[in-house]
Amino acid sequence: MRQKIVAGNWKMHCTVAETEALLKGLLEGKSQNDRATVVVCPPFTSLEAACNLLKGSHIRVGGQDMSEHPKGAFTGEVSAEMLLTLGVSFVILGHSERRQYHAESDNLINRKAKAALSAGLTPIICIGETLTEREAGQTEQVVGTQIDGVLAGFGAVELGKLVLAYEPVWAIGTGRTATPAMAQAVHRFIRERVSGINQDAAAKLPILYGGSVKADNARGLFEQPDIDGGLVGGASLKADEFIGIINAA
Ligand code: PGA
């Protein structure tokens, strides 16, 4: 049985005060699911407040990005150690918005993942095709190339410490979710591709689905045999909605 994970990607939302209000709502809300790992990923400026407020709770904290470098003259960047020493345990890497607006390549994401793993953070590495690529029938080719790039040099040990998130770009923030069958087909493909590196590690690897996950469509997605939870954007900003998704996992 693979671990179910529900991670909330808050993107550029929530000041410190808003972070505390949302997290209090999550802690007070009645989640009936104590088996899934729950992660919230607020912006950098709210990480310390989130770690303080969630200390001792079941909710873990993640960053939304980090530098590939341990320290140095990299204006605006944040290192793995800076995240870790705050109490952060996960980090999203290679989100499609980072790929699109900051030109992040598979190669860079691979180096960031190596830095995260050597610091002891669990990377949530994002992959996924655009609408044009899907319509051109290139989904498997694109996702396959991304997997090969972001996981380059990794073996069973590294695969045992990371999470993948399949997020079709056309489903992010659009309200257009992949159907459970469409998502499952790509998740199966991803697991098979990772099997080429190590079969046992691929069988144990959590692969999350992301892209317009809501409380009312989460169950159908999470029931699929190769979908191990979700990476949730918009719906993670409302406590009730996020708890509904956690309960579906
Ligand atoms: P969304 O975002 O749930 O708002 O579509 C998902 C993501 O970008 O991780």
Side-chain angles (χ1 to χ4, degrees):
M1 255 276 280
R2 284 184 295 271
Q3 179 66 43
K4 290 266 192 230
I5 301 170
V6 178
N9 174 10
W10 292 11
K11 309 192 180 186
M12 199 170 73
H13 294 284
C14 295
T15 60
V16 169
E18 288 162 350
T19 295
E20 288 171 347
L22 176 51
L23 292 177
K24 280 177 190 153
L26 283 183
L27 289 173
E28 283 158 16
K30 293 232 180 337
S31 156
Q32 291 127 29
N33 185 345
D34 51 12
R35 283 170 303 165
T37 298
V38 179
V39 186
V40 291
C41 305
F44 287 135
T45 45
S46 287
L47 287 174
E48 186 172 15
C51 288
N52 288 339
L53 211 130
L54 296 173
K55 204 172 280 170
S57 84
H58 66 290
I59 304 177
R60 314 284 213 88
V61 180
Q64 297 177 12
D65 181 36
M66 54 165 255
S67 171
E68 63 174 303
H69 302 289
K71 61 173 68 170
F74 301 104
T75 302
E77 296 285 298
V78 167
S79 74
E81 189 193 4
M82 290 167 184
L83 295 177
L84 197 78
T85 51
L86 277 183
V88 168
S89 45
F90 287 80
V91 62
I92 299 170
L93 295 178
H95 189 278
S96 65
E97 287 149 19
R98 302 285 323 166
R99 291 173 181 264
Q100 186 182 347
Y101 306 128
H102 302 271
E104 292 203 3
S105 65
D106 293 327
N107 199 276
L108 172 65
I109 296 157
N110 177 248
R111 295 197 302 274
K112 289 187 178 193
K114 284 181 181 150
L117 287 171
S118 57
L121 290 172
T122 303
I124 302 175
I125 306 175
C126 304
I127 52 179
E129 82 287 1
T130 63
L131 185 59
T132 319
E133 290 162 343
R134 173 163 284 262
E135 286 175 343
Q138 295 168 342
T139 299
E140 294 196 350
Q141 187 197 319
V142 168
V143 171
T145 303
Q146 290 174 335
I147 294 169
D148 297 347
V150 299
L151 300 183
F154 289 176
V157 174
E158 291 81 7
L159 290 175
K161 295 179 185 165
L162 59 83
V163 177
L164 285 183
Y166 168 59
E167 298 204 304
V169 179
W170 48 270
I172 296 177
T174 57
R176 231 182 117 168
T177 327
T179 64
M182 277 161 88
Q184 165 58 23
V186 184
H187 279 239
R188 156 101 10 117
F189 169 79
I190 293 168
R191 202 176 299 286
E192 272 164 16
R193 188 80 166 210
V194 178
S195 289
I197 304 174
N198 185 291
Q199 215 170 347
D200 185 50
K204 291 180 184 150
L205 178 70
I207 307 175
L208 314 184
Y209 170 80
S212 299
V213 176
K214 306 266 181 302
D216 62 10
N217 62 23
R219 198 169 295 274
L221 289 160
F222 298 169
E223 271 169 6
Q224 301 301 310
D226 289 291
I227 301 184
D228 306 306
L231 181 56
V232 185
S236 70
L237 295 170
K238 290 176 224 125
D240 287 356
E241 187 74 16
F242 194 52
I243 288 170
I245 296 169
I246 295 165
N247 286 338

